[in-house]
Amino acid sequence: MTDFPALEAQYLDTPTLEKLAPPRISTHPPRILLLYGSLRERSYSRLLTEEAARILQRLGAETRIFDPRDLPLPDSVSPDHPKVQELRALSMWSEGQVWCSPERHGAITGIMKAQIDWIPLEVGSVRPTQGRTLAVMQVSGGSQSFNAVNTLRLLGRWMRMITIPNQSSVAKAFRSSSGTVA
């Protein structure tokens, strides 16, 4: 390594196909946690989340949807609150996540942010979400926008998740008459 004197060869591990192979092959379907950011009875983010769950199940994934009702605001109670524990357990169970928020005032909802804020940034010295796959979606009451998905993408990156390039932004979601968004 004479052409790069600042690099010490012992610290540069050259990849091989064997080194890139997963340490173990999964024996179960992919586990996907889905979060949505509205408490409305006819929540379009919930409807879109349910539609995504149906598609993921059809593709062979095991899905769980977290119901954010009764989840307290972050730091208002101890992390041993039952809804916080439920969310954290589902997050640990998951291998990938789908986040869907309505866009409210150009951003994600407080309900969505509260769920993300209750997922711990570290357990020991590791971020429990690190390396998990993330898909992001949003619903809007008006014209198409990408503010909420951009915020979700940024939060996922902060949590060291791998956000897929595709995203969904459903404008004028209220126009859906079939009971589903798509």
Side-chain angles (χ1 to χ4, degrees):
M1 298 231 133
T2 58
D3 58 336
F4 197 175
L7 182 66
E8 295 184 34
Q10 71 223 33
Y11 298 116
L12 182 63
D13 189 13
T14 306
T16 65
L17 288 176
E18 292 78 26
K19 290 178 185 175
L20 294 174
R24 57 182 162 62
I25 303 297
S26 180
T27 58
H28 59 79
R31 297 174 177 160
I32 309 298
L33 170 62
L34 297 97
L35 305 178
Y36 61 92
S38 173
L39 301 178
R40 287 176 156 185
E41 186 176 326
R42 184 163 174 79
S43 162
Y44 295 102
S45 65
R46 180 180 47 78
L47 292 171
L48 183 56
T49 297
E50 290 170 352
E51 186 71 15
R54 282 190 287 275
I55 292 168
L56 288 165
Q57 290 165 5
R58 175 67 174 87
L59 294 172
E62 182 180 352
T63 64
R64 303 225 177 123
I65 299 173
F66 177 73
D67 181 351
R69 279 181 293 209
D70 301 321
L71 181 70
L73 289 173
D75 303 324
S76 67
V77 298
S78 135
D80 61 354
H81 185 280
K83 282 301 277 192
V84 174
Q85 288 299 305
E86 177 189 353
L87 174 60
R88 288 182 171 190
L90 286 170
S91 182
M92 292 300 292
W93 165 86
S94 73
E95 297 163 333
Q97 296 186 15
V98 176
W99 296 349
C100 181
S101 180
E103 181 175 318
R104 182 167 292 153
H105 300 294
I108 64 173
T109 62
I111 293 153
M112 189 74 220
K113 184 69 165 68
Q115 292 173 83
I116 295 167
D117 286 348
W118 273 120
I119 298 171
L121 285 175
E122 63 180 61
V123 173
S125 62
V126 176
R127 290 188 190 226
T129 53
Q130 184 166 327
R132 284 184 170 80
T133 304
L134 174 65
V136 295
M137 306 183 300
Q138 78 172 60
V139 293
S140 302
S143 60
Q144 190 168 34
S145 168
F146 298 97
N147 294 327
V149 289
N150 288 339
T151 300
L152 294 172
R153 189 175 291 283
L154 182 140
L155 291 167
R157 185 171 57 243
W158 182 254
M159 297 172 80
R160 296 192 179 141
M161 299 175 87
I162 301 165
T163 307
I164 64 171
N166 290 349
Q167 59 192 22
S168 180
S169 175
V170 178
K172 298 181 182 175
F174 62 90
R175 287 190 175 171
S176 172
S177 61
S178 64
T180 63
V181 175

